[in-house]
């Protein structure tokens, strides 16, 4: 077979690798007079200063012994300083480990050892923790203190110095090298309900491509211009969580005004929103809920604030409540494993003509895959299913910015990647307008008679029964059908609820074609309390174990 | 020395190559009900139809014998059909040769032989030419006729068939393969004033990256949103000219409404502008001039039309005249060798507060480098010059979408690429706001006493002398100063003009600091006619030769 024609190049022709340092090229050119604002200490930097500080930080880190291939951990709130780390650390050829500061201390230690961190940049708030676990950190050879105070407190463990004090004396010149675009740039850990956190990792090439594709989707929609040159960006998703969804890289490439709030305290967020005239943020739905219901929010005019919701499904109620306050909320979808962007809400030309309720639905659906994302849904046999809004299958993706595996976990990596597709573990439908709707997690979906039933769909319907307080549906092993749905409920006023009550309640939904007849649960358990995980999610693993014992 | 940490991946982990086929993934998803309109035959295609036709064309081409690594030439006007070729040909792993149909027949033959074209897709208008030169085409083994008629005329040479007729019977299924992202996707020829045309070539990777970066710069500026989801795009730069600046790839990736005008006939362009509600076009300044001065343009409301000007410098007069008609004109800069995008006008937040004259200047300047473009200006010793708006040097660039050389011309490639930078052959200044201003071609700039003097700057000033009709300034060899400026003039009313007249005329500009004292020409020649090239440009090579003989 013939082969493609490859590049014919001269000795001097330069294969320009895709490196994070190139995202900085346009930052100062496009940035003009715009600033990067630190809510942590009130400091403000022009893009010229920011670029200079990235070079200074590189010199500080080099002096602290950081070499290519090293891993530098950061434990910080959201600050301009963290943004400097987003650039300087990978630009040195080192790996940035964004430590999840909300993990339990033993998990933080686990991730820092597993990632083989060499140097640690740590905020005052986490210095006591570091002092406490210092002896358990196997590879760390030094700490740099991150302080928001003009006169930093004395650190409770030996540090190389405080960030700003080290910066003062650092040379403003630094030439960043070129290297392989497949060099790992960042790593961080994703937590499941069981087992140790798993490390994902992204390369320079992947982050540059993610930045470019994210910038297309956030700027190109006439009715939904999330990021434009005069937008003001404030993240409300921690920077340790998938690089704050990668938006800081986009905002910096385009020289936008950026506001980093420090800790996520609603009064602080609201104050910055007002004084800095923020136009775009992203967060998990609960944070938006918390901000809206804060006492201080009552007198604030939120009109013109665009908020991308992700991390978990937004409810129509929240999106509607936000709109009533002037906030345009949209949905984004992705995983830690996917850098994260896969889908966002995409407004078609007819959006403006939709009714208010339809608009809320459009904003709440999981969304449309962004450019360069190839996406399909697979049935249990690994066959691609039609995009008809009915067929439900596991969401699989290909795109150039997916983690190539879990760090040092080849077995788990093989589950993640199968036949050239990353398996998300999410189950969804894709409709004729190319809109993905996540319906369940694959481990929770009920596989019965060769069909899949969404446990979440059943829970939503059963929860509408007037006597039901909370419901949880799981699949139980069945000799004939593989699995059959079982529902566990708590009731509002005690008493009892029979299977027939549930069947009668579900019949109208069957008649309307909203669920299949065989999706009706075979059994019901009334309990006083439904098992939950440490973060408050329904724990279906425990439910299945409890029911197995019964 | 330590090295960077490279990807650790499982066997199954998939390195997703950057391929043109991926630009199509979002076209249908984002495109909704929008259409691709053919001004050549009035046909309109949805994005679903367009995607299907790309697959059908792949089957037509495969049946015609096209294999990976082959080169397929296209001679066509701007049509949806050509856009189908932009995708289907490279997606097969073949190389698309966009033939410049405005070249002389012998040059067309030269480029087709030099590129080793295998199959030729040729519009009715160029069939007679192909019939005439058929025997001189060394590698071509077949022709496909491109006709705009319902019932195509009989071709004057043997053809495999007519495009639409072949499409009717083509299967709508085609699985495009993955291959190396460094596979060559396109090639075309750039013409200089002397010698044979030179071939440049671009890979899948380069075109994908160019598309992403172009989309950022055309959509992200709050005051200058050239391309948004509801924009309507009509190119007025031929598709054979650097892929119509790459905009068709952006427009397709984003599913925009696109209008392909066929031949560039002003009444046809104006009709389509009005009926299709075009919002964005790009063209060379003379085309915009021609459109504006067309008789039919008088009654047209042009407000809302955004036009990116490039190819040669736009004058302030044209930009101002356009604005008076409601057209927002901006400047783009690039070369055939650079895919082409390097710079565009970039409006800072204060643009709205600028005076009308300042705004015209901002729109007319060469522009600001787009994301991922690294740019510098070099003096004659190859040293980087400051970006102060004063220092003038050769513009050199690095960015991931530059031709890696001239096809089969290693010596010329070595001139193009030096020390890892592509040398543009243009001379310019970069000011403190990062705005590039092209001042001359390097072969025309006058190198005197270690300094560079722009021949264009001198011509602009000398042309303001009331007696001067046209002027051309060239550098003549000088033992002491290396070169010294010499001016050749034609006069409005005959008569004579002395060197002292020119010195007196230039003195006020020297006093104002607009030119240096040593930039004043040493000699003047009054002539009846200044030598020009075949396309009407001042021919400085001939002038230098004439003056050498004198």
């Amino acid at each position: 077979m013939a082969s493609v024609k490859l590049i014919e190049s001269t000795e001097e022709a330069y294969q320009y690798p895709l490196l994070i340092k190139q995202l900085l090229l346009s930052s100062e050119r496009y940035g003009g007079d715009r600033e990067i604002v630190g809510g942590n200490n009130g400091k403000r930097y022009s893009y010229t200063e920011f670029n200079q500080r990235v070079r200074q930080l590189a010199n500080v880190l080099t002096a602290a012994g950081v070499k290519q291939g090293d891993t530098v951990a950061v434990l910080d709130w959201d600050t301009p300083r963290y943004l400097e780390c987003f650039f300087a650390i990978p630009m040195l050829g080192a790996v940035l480990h964004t430590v999840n500061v909300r993990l339990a201390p033993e998990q933080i230690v686990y991730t820092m050892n597993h990632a083989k961190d060499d140097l640690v940049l740590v905020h005052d708030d986490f210095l006591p923790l570091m002092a406490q676990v210092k002896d358990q950190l196997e590879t760390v050879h030094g700490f740099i203190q991150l302080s928001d105070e003009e006169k930093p407190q004395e650190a409770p463990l030996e540090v190389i110095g405080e960030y700003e004090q080290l910066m003062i004396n650092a040379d403003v010149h630094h030439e960043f090298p070129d290297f392989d675009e497949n060099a790992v740039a960042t790593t961080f850990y994703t937590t499941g309900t069981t087992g140790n956190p798993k490390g994902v990792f992204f390369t320079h090439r992947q982050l540059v491509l993610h930045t470019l594709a994210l910038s297309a989707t956030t700027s190109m929609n006439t009715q939904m211009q999330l990021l434009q040159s005069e937008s003001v960006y404030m993240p409300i998703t921690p920077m340790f969580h998938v690089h704050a969804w990668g938006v800081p890289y986009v905002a910096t490439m385009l020289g936008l005004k950026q506001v980093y709030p420090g800790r996520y305290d609603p009064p602080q967020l609201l104050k910055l929103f007002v004084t800095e005239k923020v136009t775009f943020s992203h967060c998990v739905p609960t944070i938006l809920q918390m901000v809206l219901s804060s006492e201080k929010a009552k007198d604030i005019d939120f009109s013109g604030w665009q908020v991308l919701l992700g991390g978990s499904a937004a409810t129509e109620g929240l999106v509607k409540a936000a709109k009533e306050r002037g906030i345009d909320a949209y949905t984004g979808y992705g995983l830690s494993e996917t850098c994260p962007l896969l889908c966002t809400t995409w407004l078609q030309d007819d959006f403006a003509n939709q009714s208010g309720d339809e608009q809320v639905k459009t904003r709440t659906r999981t969304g449309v895959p962004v450019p360069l994302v190839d996406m399909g849904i697979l049935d249990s046999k690994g066959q691609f299913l039609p995009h008809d809004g009915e067929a439900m299958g596991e969401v699989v993706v290909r795109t150039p910015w997916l983690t190539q595996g879990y760090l040092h976990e080849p077995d788990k990596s093989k589950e993640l990647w199968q036949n050239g597709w990353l398996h998300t573990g999410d189950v969804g439908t894709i409709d004729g307008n190319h809109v993905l709707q996540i319906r369940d997690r694959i481990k929770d979906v009920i596989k019965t008679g060769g069909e899949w039933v969404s446990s979440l769909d059943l829970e939503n319907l059963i929860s509408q029964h007037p006597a039901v307080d909370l419901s949880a549906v799981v699949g139980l092993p069945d000799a004939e059908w593989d699995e059959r749905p079982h529902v566990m409920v708590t009731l509002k006023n005690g008493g009892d609820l029979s299977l027939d009550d549930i069947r009668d309640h579900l019949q109208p939904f069957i008649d309307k074609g909203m669920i299949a007849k065989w999706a009706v649960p075979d059994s019901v358990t009334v309990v006083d309390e439904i098992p939950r995980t440490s973060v408050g999610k329904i724990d279906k693993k425990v439910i299945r174990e409890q029911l197995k014992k019964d």
Side-chain angles (χ1 to χ4, degrees), chain A:
Chain A
M1 187 180 174
S3 62
V4 292
K5 187 168 173 183
L6 291 175
I7 281 188
E8 158 193 37
S9 77
T10 59
E11 212 176 308
E12 288 80 10
Y14 199 79
Q15 299 296 323
Y16 194 62
L18 299 177
L19 297 173
I20 285 174
K21 69 174 178 176
Q22 291 149 16
L23 299 178
L24 278 184
L25 287 167
S26 47
S27 65
E28 205 177 331
R29 300 189 303 227
Y30 282 176
D33 298 327
R34 295 189 210 106
E35 290 175 321
I36 300 171
V37 181
N40 55 317
N41 59 8
K43 291 206 177 138
R44 317 174 77 91
Y45 306 101
S46 71
Y47 272 94
T48 304
E49 289 168 316
F50 175 75
N51 274 274
Q52 180 183 306
R53 285 174 59 88
V54 168
R55 296 191 298 270
Q56 286 180 294
L57 175 55
N59 291 327
V60 166
L61 294 170
T62 303
V66 173
K67 308 176 304 300
Q68 285 197 357
D70 280 4
T71 299
V72 179
V74 177
L75 292 88
D76 196 5
W77 305 113
D78 287 9
T79 61
R81 182 172 59 202
Y82 210 149
L83 187 67
E84 288 154 16
C85 293
F86 269 40
F87 286 90
I89 294 170
M91 283 163 67
L92 282 170
V95 180
L96 165 67
H97 175 196
T98 55
V99 178
N100 182 341
V101 297
R102 294 201 187 133
L103 291 179
E106 60 274 17
Q107 285 190 310
I108 290 182
V109 171
Y110 171 84
T111 62
M112 291 178 71
N113 284 330
H114 191 264
K116 303 190 169 73
D117 294 342
D118 296 287
L119 182 74
V120 183
L121 279 62
V122 51
H123 186 274
D124 280 344
D125 289 356
F126 313 110
L127 274 172
L129 170 65
M130 285 298 106
Q132 182 193 323
V133 303
K134 187 175 178 300
D135 294 339
Q136 301 168 47
L137 297 175
E138 296 157 7
T139 53
V140 172
H141 63 65
F143 296 87
I144 289 176
Q145 181 181 7
L146 308 175
S147 183
D148 297 330
E149 312 302 323
E150 277 296 323
K151 297 200 169 168
Q153 55 172 292
E154 201 184 327
L157 82 174
E158 195 189 329
V159 296
I160 293 165
E162 196 282 327
Y163 189 96
E164 289 303 329
Q165 319 240 316
L166 294 167
M167 291 284 272
I168 290 168
N169 299 314
D171 188 357
V172 298
H173 299 95
H174 189 99
E175 284 290 325
F176 290 97
D178 275 1
F179 43 74
D180 191 326
E181 68 186 24
N182 294 311
V184 175
T186 64
T187 190
F188 56 90
Y189 285 76
T190 170
T191 51
T193 43
T194 55
N196 280 319
K198 289 174 288 186
V200 296
F201 51 99
F202 298 97
T203 66
H204 282 258
R205 170 187 163 102
Q206 293 180 316
L207 286 165
V208 170
L209 291 169
H210 183 269
T211 302
L212 291 169
L214 178 57
S215 106
T217 202
T218 51
S219 66
M220 287 291 314
N221 193 296
T222 303
Q223 297 182 63
M224 176 192 145
Q225 295 166 339
L226 305 182
L227 288 177
Q228 287 280 311
S229 60
E230 294 176 28
S231 298
V232 179
Y233 165 57
M234 179 171 76
I236 324 185
T237 312
M239 295 176 84
F240 61 73
H241 187 241
V242 211
H243 333 103
W245 303 358
V247 184
Y249 284 119
V250 177
T252 305
M253 176 179 83
L254 296 161
L256 310 190
K257 177 172 174 183
Q258 304 184 57
V259 182
Y260 287 89
R263 293 192 66 150
Y264 289 169
D265 165 45
Q268 162 81 340
L269 292 173
L270 289 169
K271 188 179 138 226
L272 289 169
F273 169 78
V274 173
T275 57
E276 302 299 336
K277 303 186 171 61
V278 171
T279 66
F280 175 67
S281 296
H282 49 79
C283 60
V284 292
T286 46
I287 289 269
L288 180 60
Q289 185 70 61
M290 205 165 83
V291 168
L292 281 180
S293 57
S294 135
E295 184 61 30
K296 298 223 175 197
K298 282 184 184 146
D299 305 323
I300 293 176
D301 173 12
F302 286 107
S303 56
W305 197 18
Q306 303 197 87
V307 178
L308 193 66
L309 297 171
S312 61
T315 63
E316 291 182 14
L318 175 61
V319 169
K320 202 171 166 182
K323 186 68 194 168
E324 279 159 9
R325 297 298 306 274
I327 300 169
D328 284 308
Y330 304 104
T331 299
Y333 169 66
L335 319 174
S336 295
E337 289 83 350
T338 64
C339 200
L341 184 70
L342 295 176
C343 293
T344 66
T345 303
W346 188 257
L347 303 185
Q348 291 294 353
D349 303 4
D350 65 357
F351 179 76
N353 303 328
Q354 290 179 3
S355 72
D357 281 356
E358 280 175 302
Q359 289 191 345
V360 167
K361 278 190 210 304
T362 299
R363 293 169 187 273
T364 315
R365 283 194 198 102
T366 313
V368 178
V370 305
L372 303 196
V373 170
D374 202 356
M375 181 176 279
I377 45 175
L378 294 186
D379 68 13
S380 52
K381 297 183 193 78
Q383 299 297 308
F384 283 97
L385 291 166
H387 296 184
D388 58 8
E390 298 284 333
M392 193 161 54
E394 185 179 13
V395 179
V396 297
V397 288
R398 291 179 66 201
T399 196
W401 51 79
L402 307 174
T403 189
Q404 294 296 296
Y406 293 115
L407 203 62
H408 317 318
E409 309 257 20
D411 287 348
K412 289 178 186 158
S413 300
K414 275 183 192 168
E415 273 173 47
L416 184 68
W417 279 98
Q418 294 169 42
N419 303 315
W421 292 84
L422 184 143
H423 286 238
T424 62
D426 284 326
V427 167
T429 54
I430 300 177
D431 72 17
N433 293 321
H434 316 281
V435 181
L436 172 70
Q437 180 61 53
I438 296 298
R439 303 276 295 275
D440 211 342
R441 289 290 296 168
I442 197 164
K443 62 181 167 40
D444 296 330
V445 80
I446 297 135
K447 293 98 180 170
T448 183
E451 301 287 341
W452 286 3
V453 174
S454 159
S455 63
L456 295 181
D457 287 359
L458 273 178
E459 288 160 12
N460 282 338
L461 297 179
I462 293 170
S463 297
Q464 292 175 34
H465 188 288
V468 170
D469 182 36
L470 189 68
S471 71
V473 176
V474 296
L476 291 185
D478 183 276
E480 189 173 359
W481 302 105
D482 193 14
E483 283 185 348
R484 288 295 301 149
H486 174 93
V487 58
M488 178 178 275
V489 291
T490 57
L491 299 179
K492 282 177 184 156
N493 305 307
D496 207 2
L497 189 79
S498 72
L499 191 58
D500 279 340
D501 292 337
I502 288 175
R503 282 186 179 141
D504 291 347
H505 171 71
L506 290 177
Q507 191 58 49
F509 301 113
I510 295 171
D511 295 345
K512 280 188 223 158
M514 288 171 70
I515 54 164
K517 202 176 164 184
W518 36 261
V520 175
D522 274 4
S523 49
V524 59
T525 317
V526 178
V527 293
D528 291 335
E529 200 165 358
I530 288 180
R532 285 173 183 271
T533 67
S534 60
V535 295
K537 287 186 184 173
I538 292 177
D539 195 334
K540 296 199 175 174
K541 200 161 170 259
V542 170
I543 295 175
R544 276 188 289 263
E545 277 162 16
Q546 281 188 359
L547 291 170
K548 236 185 280 174
K549 285 180 205 148
D550 293 345

